[in-house]
Amino acid sequence: MNGVSSKNKFFYGDNLNALLFLLHSGYKEKINLIYIDPPFSTNSYFVNKEQEQAYQDSLVGGEFIEFLRERIIIMRELLSPKGSIYLHLDNKMAFNMKIIMDEVFGEENCNAFITRKKCSTKNYTKNIYGNISDYIMFYSKTSKYTWHRPFTPWEYDQMIKQYPCIDRKTGKRYKKVPIHAPGIRNGETGKMWHDMMPPKGKHWQYTPEKLDALDKAGEIYWSPNGNPRRKVFCNPDKGVPIQDIWLNCRDSINQTDKTTGYLTEKNLSMLKMIVEASSNKGDIVMDCFAGSGTTLAAAFETGRNWIGVDNSIKSLKAVIKRFTEGLNIYGDYVNKPKYTQIDIGITSKCKFKVYSDNMQTHNARNLVFPTYN
């Protein structure tokens, strides 16, 4: 591989070797988005539905933290100045790794600590709360990072509740909010407007000149007793901005869902939202704990290029299957499905090469695998 290439690539082997290889092969500050869902330090072995070992999660405690820390340091070098990284963990290591992420990226570059509902309600006989959440840390390399705010469509009842008023002139729904804020100001926002001063201990949110412009535009509501409030109009086409609690991003829960069958496969819609929020079309998206390749599929479907890395042969097979055969109905663990549905979907135009780590040096060599179409 000579210099940076826009072709999609999958590295089969140790991701530390792959990261170092990329760093010294023209990818320094060239990757725009990294999402990683590493093992959760469970000290367990994971098997697939056929009881074949998919991967092992044997690192725990400080050994796990150091394993991840040295890789995150290199990932930061690979990120472009406008790049971002999402680290997905559960409560076992998320809070330990928050300290490491603050150290590597700077606490000021932590843009969100997201709580995700990962599964349906659990009914335990133990005296504990059901564990249905995990966490995603969103960091950027600098304060000037790529960001396209994601929205979810409005529900009509929710819109009426939040925007209960209707403007007589335009027919648009709006809510009334104060035009003052806490704190005394001695500048323009602390002066008189419309023969009134801000309430005691507060100041206007805008200068009198700006308030006049809002009033002229019909964006100030005057109560019967002369109390001004700002009209904030609803834009039903835009939707509701996504917050930092994600309730609708659960992983496969229905036996009719289509998946690769890989353990711990993540929600494709969630990954597409992350990719679209933190990168642009044509950018490079990387997942160096690629697993089933959901991040890679999300990048491809949204017009990005991708780099995947994993040391599990089951991961490699899942990624090849995803981009050559498509996804299968999930089925169940007891009975074999009576039929198999193949979704060719995205498979026909995605080309990628597979590279193998020789596990001895920081070099990679091209395998005999062909370019997959």
Side-chain angles (χ1 to χ4, degrees):
M1 184 169 60
N2 298 318
V4 176
S5 169
S6 62
K7 293 181 179 179
N8 305 310
K9 294 177 172 63
F10 188 91
F11 290 86
Y12 169 51
D14 189 320
N15 56 12
L16 180 60
N17 290 355
L19 292 169
L20 289 169
F21 176 76
L22 290 167
L23 186 64
H24 296 101
S25 300
Y27 280 88
K28 181 172 180 165
E29 296 195 334
K30 298 297 183 183
I31 294 174
N32 308 94
L33 171 63
I34 298 172
Y35 167 89
I36 54 173
D37 172 30
F40 284 3
S41 188
T42 61
N43 196 24
S44 304
Y45 288 84
F46 290 82
V47 296
N48 61 16
K49 292 169 65 174
E50 289 72 35
Q51 298 304 302
E52 300 169 326
Q53 182 176 323
Y55 67 91
Q56 66 182 54
D57 179 11
S58 58
L59 297 179
V60 296
E63 190 178 6
F64 174 86
I65 293 172
E66 180 58 23
F67 164 85
L68 205 49
R69 187 187 71 87
E70 62 181 349
R71 285 157 174 78
I72 287 171
I73 289 172
I74 303 172
M75 289 181 217
R76 186 185 183 282
E77 295 300 305
L78 291 169
L79 276 179
S80 74
K82 293 186 177 181
S84 298
I85 180 171
Y86 289 72
L87 172 59
H88 195 155
L89 291 168
D90 67 3
N91 61 353
K92 189 175 183 66
M93 279 295 168
F95 303 99
N96 305 68
M97 287 306 303
K98 172 68 166 64
I99 297 173
I100 302 299
M101 294 294 283
D102 285 346
E103 173 192 335
V104 176
F105 287 94
E107 187 177 0
E108 70 279 6
N109 290 320
C110 180
N111 302 304
F113 194 96
I114 298 156
T115 301
R116 180 187 77 126
K117 183 178 181 180
K118 64 182 179 181
C119 59
S120 302
T121 301
K122 294 182 177 180
N123 296 316
Y124 284 107
T125 56
K126 299 178 181 178
N127 297 324
I128 60 173
Y129 295 106
N131 175 21
I132 62 170
S133 63
D134 55 22
Y135 306 95
I136 303 174
M137 287 170 263
F138 165 32
Y139 281 76
S140 55
K141 189 169 184 177
T142 68
S143 60
K144 297 180 179 179
Y145 54 93
T146 300
W147 177 244
H148 311 289
R149 181 177 296 280
F151 293 85
T152 187
W154 275 107
E155 294 182 5
Y156 186 68
D157 291 343
Q158 182 186 18
M159 181 175 18
I160 292 176
K161 184 177 180 179
Q162 291 199 28
Y163 294 87
C165 307
I166 298 177
D167 186 71
R168 292 181 179 179
K169 291 184 179 180
T170 64
K172 294 181 178 180
R173 304 198 73 88
Y174 71 92
K175 60 183 176 182
K176 295 173 282 190
V177 300
I179 60 171
H180 49 71
I184 298 172
R185 299 291 185 272
N186 297 319
E188 291 294 310
T189 57
K191 293 182 178 179
M192 185 174 289
W193 177 67
H194 270 257
D195 298 325
M196 67 178 72
M197 292 294 291
K200 186 176 180 180
K202 298 186 178 182
H203 65 279
W204 303 121
Q205 289 189 11
Y206 310 96
T207 64
E209 183 181 3
K210 174 66 175 177
L211 289 172
D212 282 338
L214 290 172
D215 193 21
K216 186 176 181 180
E219 296 184 28
I220 298 294
Y221 169 83
W222 293 93
S223 69
N225 62 358
N227 179 34
R229 304 192 81 184
R230 187 183 177 192
K231 297 179 182 179
V232 176
F233 290 92
C234 173
N235 183 348
D237 296 329
K238 204 169 187 179
V240 184
I242 300 292
Q243 307 298 306
D244 63 2
I245 296 179
W246 295 357
L247 300 178
N248 300 314
C249 294
R250 290 179 291 173
D251 299 327
S252 295
I253 56 173
N254 193 312
Q255 292 188 12
T256 62
D257 288 347
K258 287 177 281 188
T259 75
T260 64
Y262 190 83
L263 274 297
T264 68
E265 184 167 335
K266 290 299 179 284
N267 183 299
L268 177 60
S269 296
M270 178 186 77
L271 266 300
K272 288 173 71 173
M273 178 179 69
I274 290 173
V275 168
E276 291 183 313
S278 293
S279 66
N280 298 312
K281 287 187 176 182
D283 283 351
I284 301 174
V285 175
M286 183 174 75
D287 185 346
C288 54
F289 293 88
S292 69
T294 308
T295 308
L296 316 183
F300 175 70
E301 289 194 39
T302 56
R304 279 73 169 169
N305 299 307
W306 56 259
I307 296 173
V309 188
D310 207 292
N311 65 355
S312 167
I313 189 64
K314 296 300 179 185
S315 170
L316 174 59
K317 290 180 178 179
V319 170
I320 292 174
K321 173 181 170 54
R322 181 187 288 274
F323 287 110
T324 57
E325 300 176 22
L327 306 178
N328 295 87
I329 296 294
Y330 183 77
D332 61 51
Y333 283 88
V334 179
N335 302 311
K336 293 183 179 180
K338 296 179 180 178
Y339 61 91
T340 299
Q341 178 177 333
I342 301 297
D343 180 11
I344 299 301
I346 65 170
T347 65
S348 60
K349 296 182 180 179
C350 184
K351 296 181 179 181
F352 64 99
K353 288 186 177 181
V354 179
Y355 295 79
S356 174
D357 183 356
N358 64 17
M359 309 300 287
Q360 300 297 323
T361 71
H362 297 321
N363 297 319
R365 57 185 173 83
N366 194 266
L367 277 181
V368 296
F369 295 117
T371 296
Y372 289 93
N373 296 301

